[in-house]
Structures are given as structure tokens and as C-alpha cells.
Amino acid sequence: MIRVLLADDEDLMRAGLRMMLQTQPDLTVVGEAADGREAVSLAAATTPDVVLMDVRMPLLDGVAATRQITGAAEHGGPRVLILTTFELDEYVFDAVRAGASGFLLKRSPPEVLIDGIRTLAAGEALLGPSITRRLLAEFARATPAAPQPEITRRLSRLTEREHDVLLLLGRGQSNAEIAARLHIGEATVKTHVTRVLDKLALRDRVHAVVFAFDHGLVRPGGG
């Protein structure tokens, strides 16, 4: 059973989400929060697998709430799925930095949202193509951080093939695209991705993109 926490300041939105999720035998709503502060509190109390998080809420916005929820948990903590009204929401980039693992538009069809919850609960990330392109553009404008001894140590643990996979992850490529580029099977790619995330202590492939850009492994133009 996948445990879901709803965080949205609109009562009707929460009610609609709850009714939709209750139709699924593998999903259960463990709590509802009307603001970001309550979301943080309920996340600690109910230990959800996935938090559906609105970005614009009183007391504490969704970005700050996401940062507190993901920061308080270890590698296996709740996954945060941000629900945005607009595809180019100004908060999307900040939410990735805060630890969000996925984004969907509020107007997405019910089956897309339900599949998205299952995807995050399975440990994967969820980004639509247009949002991914925007994120990559944002990262391309950012200045890479100076290498740190701890980062260098983590990278040294990667095999040559795992390093190649990390670079392709950083460019936003899917498992199928990575498989074609490296001439290996998708199952092998999935194994490499899992090992990369584990060795670098990253939550999911979204944060592999963040890591790659932050530390200068991927640069504007795909270099």
C-alpha cells in the first residue's frame, strides 16, 4: 500500500485528490495539510511514501516545506511530487534544489497523476519533457561549484561505465537513450543508474542532474 500525504491550501483540490486516490486499491491517503508548516508536521507523524505538494501555500510555501521534509529524512525518506498550475512555474527550479523528485501539472489527467505517484513510490523520478528542458537550461546558466574533497571521493568510487552513465543522466537522457548511446541493454543501464545513485548518495535521477551540473561534469552545449 502506497501512503500519500496531500498538501494544498484549497479544500476542494484536496477533496478531489482524496476521492480520486481512494478509488485505487494500492493507494491510501494518510493525511491532509492546508499549509506548508502542517505538511512538514504531518510528514513526520504519518511517514508517507509520497507527498503531493502544492507550491503556493500560506505560512510555509511548498519549496520550503519540501526542503524540510527531504532534509529531515535519510536517503529513503518521502518522495515529494510537486503539483504546479503552470508548466514554467518559477518555483520548479528551486523545488528541485530543495529535494523534489517530480512535477506534474494540476490539470494532468487522473491516470497520469496516479501513475506518477506509483513511479515516485518505486524510487524513480518524474519530470515531463518540457520541464526537463527548462531545468537543463537553468542549470546551464549556473556556475559549477568548486570540487570538494568529499565529492571527489564519491566520484572516485564510480567505475568508468558508471561515470559515463552519470554524464548521460546529467544531460537528461532516458534509460533507453543511454542504452543506445553506450550499446548496452536497458536492464544493464538500470543497474548502473542504481549503483551511481547509491555511491553518490543521491535520491534519484533528478538529483543526479543537479549533481552533474553543480560539479561541472556537464556544461552548456552538452559538454
Side-chain angles (χ1 to χ4, degrees), residues 18-75:
R18 183 178 64 253
M19 291 177 62
M20 177 177 61
L21 299 185
Q22 285 176 339
T23 66
Q24 303 301 308
D26 60 334
L27 304 180
T28 183
V29 176
V30 296
E32 297 183 32
D35 58 67
R37 189 176 299 169
E38 187 178 15
V40 173
S41 177
L42 284 176
T46 63
T47 60
D49 299 302
V50 177
V51 180
L52 293 187
M53 182 78 74
D54 186 21
V55 288
R56 294 178 174 85
M57 292 186 293
L59 299 183
L60 196 67
D61 65 37
V63 174
T66 295
R67 184 177 295 109
Q68 291 191 29
I69 290 171
T70 59
E74 295 299 325
H75 186 60

Side-chain angles (χ1 to χ4, degrees), residues 2 24 31 44 53 69 78 127-128 137 188 219:
I2 299 172
Q24 303 301 308
M53 182 78 74
I69 290 171
L127 286 179
T188 302
R219 295 179 175 83

Side-chain angles (χ1 to χ4, degrees), residues 200-219:
L200 298 180
L202 301 172
R203 293 179 66 84
D204 47 49
R205 62 195 302 137
V206 172
H207 299 103
V209 175
V210 176
F211 182 94
F213 272 91
D214 273 351
H215 301 290
L217 302 177
V218 177
R219 295 179 175 83

